[in-house]
């Protein structure tokens, strides 16, 4: 290990990554859990990614109930759409939420549950999910054609790719340490436990 200025390099790398993650993005962060939690997890996900959907359905609820809802972990979701369908779904989630993190997490949950129809009948599925959230067809259409929202989404994705080296979904950063790909609750917990003070 090379020491630089009294700090081992990996610690510097993690703190640099943590600082990059904490920089205000073009879109406001959608997060659950206290801002002062001991551990912050960032997930970069695409609405069209099956591994992301499986994680959201099977692993995230356990992380949320055991760590987020108990105040130990702050969980931040960031969009990293891999295709145009995922872009439209991300935009809809932002419009439905209108800045409300709980509404946002509820909408992405619905989108992931509807991933198959979302991929085959994108517009109809988005219209249905929009309608369930109280948006009419026109509002949904205006939302998914919002150039300003699209530009912000693209800016954040470019930043994640170029600065944070995110190139696949899901990608997680647990207190600045990157983990890529599908991960079980047990694996996640093994990474969290050493970071949580007793």
């Amino acid at each position: 290990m090379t020491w630089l200025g009294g700090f081992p390099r990996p610690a510097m790398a993690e703190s640099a990554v943590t600082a990059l993650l904490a920089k205000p993005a073009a879109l406001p962060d959608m997060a659950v859990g206290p801002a002062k939690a001991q551990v912050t997890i960032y997930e970069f996900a695409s609405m069209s990614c099956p591994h992301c959907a499986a994680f959201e359905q099977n692993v995230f609820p356990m992380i949320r109930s055991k760590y987020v809802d108990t105040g130990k972990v702050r969980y931040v979701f960031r969009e990293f759409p891999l295709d145009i369908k995922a872009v439209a779904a991300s935009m809809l989630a932002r419009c439905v939420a209108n800045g409300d993190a709980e509404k946002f997490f509820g909408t992405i949950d619905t989108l992931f549950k509807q991933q198959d129809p979302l991929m085959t009948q994108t517009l109809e599925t988005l219209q249905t999910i929009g309608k369930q959230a109280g948006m009419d067809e026109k509002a949904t259409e205006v939302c998914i054609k919002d150039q300003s929202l699209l530009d912000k989404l693209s800016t954040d994705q470019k930043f994640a790719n170029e600065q944070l080296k995110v190139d696949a979904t899901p990608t997680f950063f647990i207190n600045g340490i990157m983990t890529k790909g599908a991960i079980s609750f047990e694996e996640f917990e093994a990474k969290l436990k050493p970071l949580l003070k007793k």
Side-chain angles (χ1 to χ4, degrees):
M1 189 180 287
T2 313
W3 290 75
L4 220 74
F7 294 103
R9 268 206 183 135
M12 279 184 65
E14 280 161 38
S15 62
V17 169
T18 304
L20 283 172
L21 285 163
K23 272 180 78 165
L27 286 166
D29 270 342
M30 287 293 142
V32 286
K36 298 276 184 235
Q38 290 178 359
V39 175
T40 301
I41 299 169
Y42 289 85
E43 177 188 2
F44 288 83
S46 173
M47 300 297 174
S48 57
C49 153
H51 292 300
C52 301
F55 175 84
E56 209 281 332
Q57 301 300 304
N58 306 318
V59 182
F60 179 68
M62 291 192 280
I63 291 170
R64 176 139 194 189
S65 67
K66 193 165 181 182
Y67 294 105
V68 177
D69 294 345
T70 56
K72 294 175 186 156
V73 167
R74 178 172 176 78
Y75 199 96
V76 184
F77 185 94
R78 290 202 178 157
E79 301 92 338
F80 197 84
L82 298 175
D83 53 49
I84 193 71
K85 294 175 180 188
V87 168
S90 294
M91 290 170 76
L92 180 70
R94 286 281 175 171
C95 293
V96 167
N98 195 18
D100 181 321
E102 288 299 345
K103 274 189 186 168
F104 179 82
F105 277 86
T107 306
I108 63 168
D109 181 58
T110 304
L111 286 160
F112 278 131
K113 282 180 178 154
Q114 299 290 317
Q115 193 175 68
D116 289 342
L118 181 65
M119 294 303 104
T120 55
Q121 298 166 301
T122 308
L123 190 58
E124 296 90 327
T125 306
L126 292 173
Q127 292 283 15
T128 302
I129 293 170
K131 194 176 277 178
Q132 288 166 355
M135 290 168 69
D136 61 21
E137 283 189 16
K138 181 92 183 107
T140 300
E141 215 159 288
V142 167
C143 168
I144 60 177
K145 289 181 177 168
D146 183 337
Q147 190 60 47
S148 163
L149 181 55
L150 178 62
D151 291 346
K152 288 175 183 170
L153 206 57
S154 302
T155 300
D156 287 347
Q157 185 167 12
K158 188 170 187 264
F159 179 84
N161 179 247
E162 291 174 2
Q163 302 293 319
L164 298 164
K165 307 302 176 214
V166 175
D167 59 7
T169 58
T171 294
F172 303 94
F173 289 89
I174 304 170
N175 275 8
I177 303 161
M178 182 193 273
T179 299
K180 286 185 184 189
I183 184 169
S184 70
F185 176 70
E186 292 70 25
E187 290 171 293
F188 223 102
E189 199 166 49
K191 290 175 187 297
L192 283 178
K193 280 191 168 159
L195 301 171
L196 293 164
K197 297 183 195 83
K198 296 284 177 279

